[in-house]
Amino acid sequence: MAGSSAVLTDDSLLSRLDRVLLRLETFFAMISGIAVFLLMVLAVWSVGGRKFFSSPLAGYVDWIEAAMPFIAIMGIAYTQRQGGHVRMDILIGQLRGRALWAAELLSVVLILALMLALIWGSWAHFDRSFDFSVPMWSRDSSIDIGLPIWPSKLVVPLAFSVMALRLLLQIWGYGRALVLGLEHPVAVPLVQSAAQQAMAEAEHLEGRE
Amino acid sequence: MDPIEIGLWVSGGMLLMVVLGMRVAFAAGMAGLVGLIWIFWAKRGMEWDQLGWALTVAIKTAGQVPHSKVSSQTLSLIPTFILIGFLAYYAGLTRALFEAAKRWFAWVPGGLAVSTVFATAGFAAVSGASVATAAVFARIAIPEMLKIGYNKQFAAGVVAAGGTLASLIPPSAILVIYAIIVEQDVGKLLLAGFIPGAFSALIYGLLIVGIAMIWKNVGPPVRGFTWGQRFAALPAALPIVAVVVIIIFFVYNPFGDAWGTPTEGGAVGAFIVFCMALIRGMRWPELKDALLETAKLTVMIFTIIWGVLIYVRFLGFADLPGAFADWISSLAVSPMLILICILLAYAVLGMFMDAIGMLLLTLPVVYPAVMALNGGEFVSAAESTFGMSGPMCAIWFGILVVKMAEFCLITPPIGLNCFVVAGVRPDLSVQDVFRGVMPFFIADAITIALLVAFPSIVLWLPSLAG
Amino acid sequence: TEWNVSVWGKRRAFTEHIEKLAELVSEKTDGEFTMNISYGGLSKNRENLDGISIGAFEMAQFCAGYHPDKNRAITVLELPFLGVSNLDEEVAVSRAVYDHPAVQEEMAQWNARMLMTSPMPQYNLVGTGEPRQELGDFEGMRVRATGGLGEAFEAVGAVPTSVTATEAYNAMESGVVDTVAFAQHAHLSFGTINKADWWTANLNPGTVNCPVVVNTDAYEALSPEEKEALDSSVEEAIDHYLANYAELLKKWDTILEEKSVQKVEYSPETIEAFKAKAADPARESWIKDMEAQGIPGQELYDLVQETLEKHRAGN
Ligand code: NA
Ligand code: NA
């Protein structure tokens, strides 16, 4: 149900754009991964400071809360590219050919509509906390050490915009497959049977032990 | 139209989108957004010139949720717990555990299978993900069992079932998610997972011993390890013990004040495993890979979380959970029967759905109903239906549903653990694994029945923590 | 008319005026004007002002210290050692400050209109371990205190750590903090009193200010009768709140005794020393900060002091 799916590539413009965007997405996802690592270091520092030097880290909670949007949201397009967002494919897994591409197309169009709405909504959320005319441009601050909140609010529309670009490419990819009746379209994650998928996951682990 | 009616329509629409294969996170987010628009518009009498207003307010309300809900200290446990599991591979903890379990426990009937179960339970203490555990042990444990003449299907079943322990025994991402959704103390929930997790492992072990005693050819014991060899196998597995002790002591210290918060405990545990992995030769390419995989899994989980929370925000405006809770508690059926029906419904739903998605989608409505059955969130043990206070009932129900979710990982048709084991072993078909895992249905049914009948198995440890 | 009201936690002394207001308004309008009070279902508590600004709900409660940059002007009421000594005075100074044009203008940016305050008594500490009797004892103390109060404790060497109110008990149990600053009702409802060894009876370092606001458009859209019903009920709702809180304070001493919590009394010299270290610099820097941003800090501070004098003279 979860896990990644295969994305095919070739020399077409669509596939090249797919790979260009993938580089940006990977960079965003890497920021998320590094933020997780820093979160760990921060906690160790905080505990160490408190236990051994009785000088707790001021604003520990504020920093974690500020870091969480980077961790939780930056990689959204990367995960969409890999087909990594969970779904129930018991029904869609039975479809073949044009019926499958039509269903996939409908699904990504709906997701794009949601993302566009959320880009607007999350931008408004950011905008309420941001004001050029005040110190640190901040009109919303954290509870402990008064960190401005706008930078972490800005992450959301930013990451969602990359997601919207990804969805546009997928609409193109699925649309093309639907019109041309392709069997193995490029630039979109292909449905794998649960068994294939498990194999792919297992292979991934294989490499690491 | 009144809000509850809107709530029902929107919830039905969401389930339809999920069944039709839309990614769960976005189906929930979409349902929430549409629901908000509808409910604000209904408030203005569904006049056409008010639609623009309703749209704006709904979009701005939904747009708050992703940032607002993920900016949580408690939720920061999830990426940490995921990172720990990935780092544990590089630290070589898997093989060390299996080796130690083999030397200590393989002398009983069905010995290697019992060792496998205990090793998966041990690995569960550093891994939040069941599927990963099954995949790793399929590679390590199955060949050893086959070598000494185990039944192929049975060996595969043991690994698939053992893998499920990872989500009950902390660290467990799914327990954290439950705690967030129902707004209960994460630390106590994590504590509560230990004994039922160990208890499940024990029941698996007893079942294996029983099977091995009845059918002599299923799994011969392995003898001949000296005490010296046994102790020699321990040091390599020690970091696991360190992580377990750290997480427990950060939540509950039987000798005094706890050391900190669960968040800090998870992070310190991850740091120890990280150092261990560095010593065992992990370098930047491996670390980069681990971080990227952590990011992907984390984003996947968090996207469902905020997506579902948009839907939950809508539910708040529609007050559907309240209405459902009132309805459930007005039924003239014994509360225990209702609880059992709810658990059975999870068993059925889980056959077709991913565990995290299933819990996130259903808990916002089901949880208040269960709490209402028990007599409310703030009820005392004496006045409650199930004989436990509100917070304790929340913990008990949490462990029950997580155990149900784990059970679903080994049931056909979509038991993910079984697919993973079959995927790792080309000589095994999925049917083989499903056949082999069948006996463990009985074990899980017994475990769940005992947890329902004797809540103190779940509640003893968290009740110590005050 | 039906209004959605966003508050958080559970029903407690802190929300009694809102419950009462809803009751009164509905009574006065024969059920024409009702309020749906939601405890956490509509918004996160730190985003209630955002929700009001959007128009997602019509009425909400929030605390100034949760997000000082959203509501700079009213943070004057959270300055340490302001001199407020009881709930009546707290109501009086809040009312005066809420009426000030600078505050109204800032609230207007959120499309909000001040309705009433949620008067909070002084935030005294409960603590674990040895009582901290002298100013020097505060050095290195990990205290749960927000906003200006946190800064005051910081000035005498303590380390403020904000955990949310619901996590305060756990933070105390786990040693993340060793003292928690709360009003009495919160010490009771969040269970911090159960962990306490001592309580600072007369430190009275300050409090938080938590207004109840309404969405301006929603308010303007009320019929004259509904507006009248709402406005005329505020006084009564506050009185109900005060009476209810007084009951609670009566119980407080018995509870301290039951749990054998030691009352720590500070000498006037200690309190003076604390004030000199924490209050004066905090006030000066606050005023400087505000003036730099075009908010009349000095005027707001003077307004508080004048109102206090007037109020005391009136009684
Ligand atoms: Na685990
Ligand atoms: Na299943």
Side-chain angles (χ1 to χ4, degrees):
Chain A
M1 309 211 58
S4 41
S5 328
V7 179
L8 302 178
T9 56
D10 63 12
D11 294 335
S12 64
L13 175 63
L14 173 59
S15 181
R16 272 180 292 149
L17 284 177
D18 164 52
R19 278 167 290 163
V20 171
L21 188 58
L22 175 62
R23 258 190 266 153
L24 179 66
E25 290 164 338
T26 311
F27 172 67
F28 272 36
M30 208 52 221
I31 293 180
S32 157
I34 289 172
V36 177
F37 189 78
L38 293 180
L39 187 77
M40 177 182 84
V41 173
L42 190 71
V44 173
W45 181 8
S46 159
V47 175
R50 194 173 70 227
K51 285 275 160 208
F52 304 115
F53 310 104
S54 87
S55 66
L57 180 60
Y60 170 57
V61 178
D62 289 14
W63 284 109
I64 290 187
E65 290 189 352
M68 281 307 288
F70 289 86
I71 291 171
I73 294 177
M74 285 296 266
I76 185 170
Y78 177 78
T79 309
Q80 176 70 15
R81 196 290 179 163
Q82 317 281 30
H85 290 293
V86 180
R87 69 162 160 192
M88 197 171 140
D89 43 20
I90 194 163
L91 224 64
I92 211 166
Q94 304 299 315
L95 300 179
R96 290 284 170 275
R98 286 202 158 96
L100 175 61
W101 309 134
E104 294 278 27
L105 184 61
L106 174 68
S107 181
V108 287
V109 167
L110 282 176
I111 299 176
L112 181 63
L114 175 70
M115 291 322 295
L116 291 178
L118 290 179
I119 289 171
W120 173 12
S122 59
W123 175 265
H125 192 50
F126 155 76
D127 200 31
R128 282 192 301 273
S129 68
F130 185 84
D131 186 345
F132 264 122
S133 71
V134 290
M136 305 225 267
W137 303 336
S138 168
R139 216 149 73 86
D140 188 8
S141 51
S142 71
I143 188 166
D144 237 351
I145 51 172
L147 284 180
I149 294 182
W150 63 262
S152 79
K153 283 186 176 170
L154 183 58
V155 165
V156 183
L158 190 66
F160 284 6
S161 298
V162 178
M163 175 74 170
L165 290 180
R166 168 53 60 194
L167 289 164
L168 284 173
L169 283 187
Q170 292 190 341
I171 289 175
W172 181 355
Y174 285 127
R176 192 168 150 269
L178 176 65
V179 173
L180 303 178
L182 300 177
E183 222 169 297
H184 301 291
V186 292
V188 292
L190 300 175
V191 176
Q192 292 173 300
S193 70
Q196 282 172 316
Q197 198 174 301
M199 190 78 89
E201 265 178 43
E203 268 163 18
H204 190 90
L205 291 176
E206 204 116 352
R208 77 161 25 116
E209 238 245 337
Chain B
M1 204 176 292
D2 78 283
I4 288 168
E5 218 171 308
I6 298 175
L8 288 174
W9 276 107
V10 167
S11 303
M14 178 184 70
L15 288 182
L16 190 70
M17 283 191 280
V18 169
V19 169
L20 292 180
M22 191 159 163
R23 315 249 166 212
V24 172
F26 305 116
M30 188 59 133
L33 179 61
V34 170
L36 283 168
I37 296 170
W38 193 348
I39 217 156
F40 286 128
W41 196 29
K43 203 168 171 179
R44 295 277 173 106
M46 297 248 186
E47 306 286 344
W48 281 110
D49 60 341
Q50 297 295 326
L51 184 57
W53 174 83
L55 212 63
T56 314
V57 176
I59 285 174
K60 286 184 175 176
T61 303
Q64 290 180 294
V65 174
H67 173 271
S68 159
K69 289 298 181 175
V70 305
S71 307
S72 142
Q73 192 208 354
T74 316
L75 277 178
S76 72
L77 269 173
I78 290 177
T80 318
F81 282 1
I82 292 171
L83 182 63
I84 263 196
F86 281 114
L87 292 175
Y89 296 116
Y90 294 111
L93 289 177
T94 346
R95 190 165 291 281
L97 262 173
F98 183 66
E99 196 53 40
K102 187 170 89 183
R103 294 184 190 187
W104 284 83
F105 301 112
W107 55 271
V108 301
L112 264 190
V114 175
S115 309
T116 303
V117 164
F118 288 161
T120 52
F123 192 68
V126 285
S127 161
S130 295
V131 177
T133 312
V136 181
F137 279 90
R139 291 186 55 244
I140 300 176
I142 294 181
E144 296 227 15
M145 285 191 268
L146 295 188
K147 226 187 308 176
I148 60 163
Y150 268 65
N151 174 306
K152 198 167 77 171
Q153 298 173 345
F154 180 66
V158 169
V159 171
T164 68
L165 296 170
S167 293
L168 213 48
I169 296 174
S172 154
I174 203 161
L175 273 176
V176 177
I177 290 169
Y178 174 85
I180 295 285
I181 287 284
V182 308
E183 298 182 326
Q184 291 292 327
D185 182 356
V186 173
K188 283 193 190 135
L189 262 160
L190 290 176
L191 265 189
F194 269 110
I195 293 180
F199 190 74
S200 288
L202 198 67
I203 295 212
Y204 283 170
L206 288 175
L207 181 92
I208 293 167
V209 172
I211 291 175
M213 281 167 58
I214 297 169
W215 294 286
K216 295 286 182 223
N217 62 340
V218 165
V222 181
R223 296 200 178 83
F225 288 109
T226 66
W227 284 102
Q229 283 171 320
R230 284 180 182 165
F231 282 104
L234 290 183
L238 268 184
I240 303 259
V241 181
V243 172
V244 173
V245 168
I246 283 170
I247 291 182
I248 292 188
F249 273 64
F250 267 88
V251 180
Y252 163 62
N253 175 1
F255 311 108
D257 287 337
W259 294 350
T261 60
T263 326
E264 293 170 336
V268 174
F271 189 71
I272 288 174
V273 178
F274 168 71
C275 294
M276 185 81 195
L278 273 188
I279 294 169
R280 298 267 167 98
M282 181 184 68
R283 290 298 172 263
W284 172 243
E286 292 88 355
L287 179 61
K288 186 184 158 198
D289 194 38
L291 292 181
L292 212 50
E293 284 302 306
T294 303
K296 195 171 120 193
L297 202 53
T298 303
V299 167
M300 187 270 271
I301 293 175
F302 273 98
T303 310
I304 307 184
I305 290 178
W306 65 248
V308 168
L309 287 172
I310 292 179
Y311 167 68
V312 169
R313 178 61 53 85
F314 152 70
L315 287 182
F317 279 93
D319 197 30
L320 192 65
F324 185 68
D326 290 347
W327 176 70
I328 286 274
S329 41
S330 73
L331 290 178
V333 185
S334 110
M336 191 48 102
L337 191 62
I338 297 178
L339 182 76
I340 289 168
C341 288
I342 290 175
L343 293 179
L344 287 177
Y346 273 120
V348 175
L349 198 56
M351 286 175 152
F352 306 99
M353 270 200 79
D354 170 87
I356 292 175
M358 172 176 88
L359 292 193
L360 275 165
L361 288 183
T362 55
L363 282 175
V365 179
V366 172
Y367 170 77
V370 170
M371 294 307 278
L373 270 188
N374 188 46
E377 214 163 323
F378 308 110
V379 73
S380 69
E383 288 159 7
S384 67
T385 313
F386 299 127
M388 61 190 84
S389 68
M392 284 295 164
C393 181
I395 292 173
W396 180 56
F397 182 63
I399 298 297
L400 288 178
V401 291
V402 169
K403 181 68 197 173
M404 289 312 298
E406 293 305 284
F407 177 57
C408 297
L409 287 175
I410 54 170
T411 54
I414 309 192
L416 208 51
N417 269 12
C418 296
F419 282 111
V420 167
V421 171
V424 177
R425 303 284 315 176
D427 55 324
L428 283 163
S429 72
V430 178
Q431 286 78 359
D432 285 334
V433 188
F434 276 127
R435 211 158 299 145
V437 86
M438 219 85 93
F440 294 94
F441 295 175
I442 305 170
D444 276 349
I446 293 174
T447 306
I448 291 166
L450 287 173
L451 296 182
V452 172
F454 305 104
S456 51
I457 302 171
V458 177
L459 300 179
W460 178 70
L461 204 50
S463 69
L464 286 183
Chain C
T1 309
E2 190 182 9
W3 272 16
N4 282 321
V5 184
S6 177
V7 299
W8 66 91
K10 52 185 179 187
R11 190 174 168 167
R12 57 201 186 282
F14 181 60
T15 57
E16 271 311 303
H17 55 330
I18 299 173
E19 294 280 352
K20 184 73 182 177
L21 188 74
E23 201 184 300
L24 290 170
V25 165
S26 168
E27 253 171 44
K28 288 182 186 175
T29 57
D30 293 323
E32 280 298 305
F33 182 12
T34 55
M35 289 179 181
N36 224 335
I37 302 170
S38 171
Y39 287 84
L42 309 183
S43 174
K44 177 166 155 178
N45 53 13
R46 280 183 252 167
E47 277 159 14
N48 271 343
L49 211 40
D50 293 84
I52 287 287
S53 138
I54 294 168
F57 35 81
E58 288 79 10
M59 189 164 136
Q61 188 180 31
F62 67 91
C63 294
Y66 286 179
H67 34 55
D69 285 0
K70 279 185 186 167
N71 40 248
R72 295 177 165 83
I74 56 169
T75 52
V76 67
L77 293 164
E78 296 194 349
L79 284 175
F81 295 105
L82 207 51
V84 174
S85 54
N86 58 46
L87 291 184
D88 280 327
E89 292 179 6
E90 183 68 28
V91 173
V93 293
S94 295
R95 187 166 289 157
V97 170
Y98 292 177
D99 282 340
H100 192 281
V103 171
Q104 293 186 342
E105 192 190 316
E106 194 172 35
M107 282 299 112
Q109 291 171 17
W110 296 98
N111 204 11
R113 205 190 131 89
M114 289 288 193
L115 188 70
M116 58 183 175
T117 185
S118 318
M120 297 284 259
Q122 295 287 307
Y123 265 36
N124 277 296
L125 300 176
V126 303
T128 52
E130 280 302 302
R132 303 188 185 247
Q133 304 270 18
E134 300 298 328
L135 216 48
D137 297 344
F138 287 126
E139 188 68 45
M141 174 176 84
R142 299 185 296 277
V143 56
R144 188 264 179 205
T146 58
L149 211 51
E151 279 163 33
F153 283 111
E154 205 174 358
V156 289
V159 183
T161 305
S162 291
V163 289
T164 60
T166 38
E167 283 169 343
Y169 178 86
N170 280 86
M172 209 170 166
E173 178 166 52
S174 60
V176 170
V177 300
D178 34 37
T179 46
V180 174
F182 266 157
Q184 285 89 334
H185 80 272
H187 281 311
L188 290 174
S189 81
F190 295 110
T192 39
I193 189 68
N194 303 322
K195 269 271 139 192
D197 296 318
W198 47 273
W199 177 67
T200 63
N202 69 337
L203 192 60
N204 298 343
T207 185
V208 298
N209 191 268
C210 306
V212 176
V213 293
V214 296
N215 174 289
T216 312
D217 300 332
Y219 180 79
E220 298 304 341
L222 292 177
S223 71
E225 299 79 49
E226 291 170 336
K227 230 181 245 182
E228 157 65 20
L230 179 64
D231 291 339
S232 69
S233 300
V234 167
E235 197 71 52
E236 212 174 321
I238 291 274
D239 286 344
H240 171 78
Y241 180 107
L242 294 176
N244 182 62
Y245 217 108
E247 282 302 309
L248 191 142
L249 289 182
K250 264 189 228 159
K251 270 186 278 172
W252 179 248
D253 275 326
T254 354
I255 291 165
L256 288 183
E257 218 161 288
E258 256 171 39
K259 315 238 176 216
S260 49
V261 176
Q262 186 189 338
K263 266 189 179 184
V264 181
E265 305 264 359
Y266 294 87
S267 65
E269 294 78 42
T270 309
I271 291 181
E272 273 313 311
F274 193 173
K275 257 170 131 167
K277 259 200 160 146
D280 301 342
R283 184 186 63 238
E284 275 153 35
S285 85
W286 183 85
I287 291 173
K288 213 173 103 217
D289 243 29
M290 290 300 131
E291 297 284 352
Q293 297 172 41
I295 293 172
Q298 186 66 51
E299 200 181 313
L300 284 164
Y301 181 78
D302 293 343
L303 175 65
V304 171
Q305 296 306 327
E306 282 160 26
T307 311
L308 272 180
E309 273 167 39
K310 238 185 278 170
H311 186 83
R312 281 174 194 155
N315 285 351

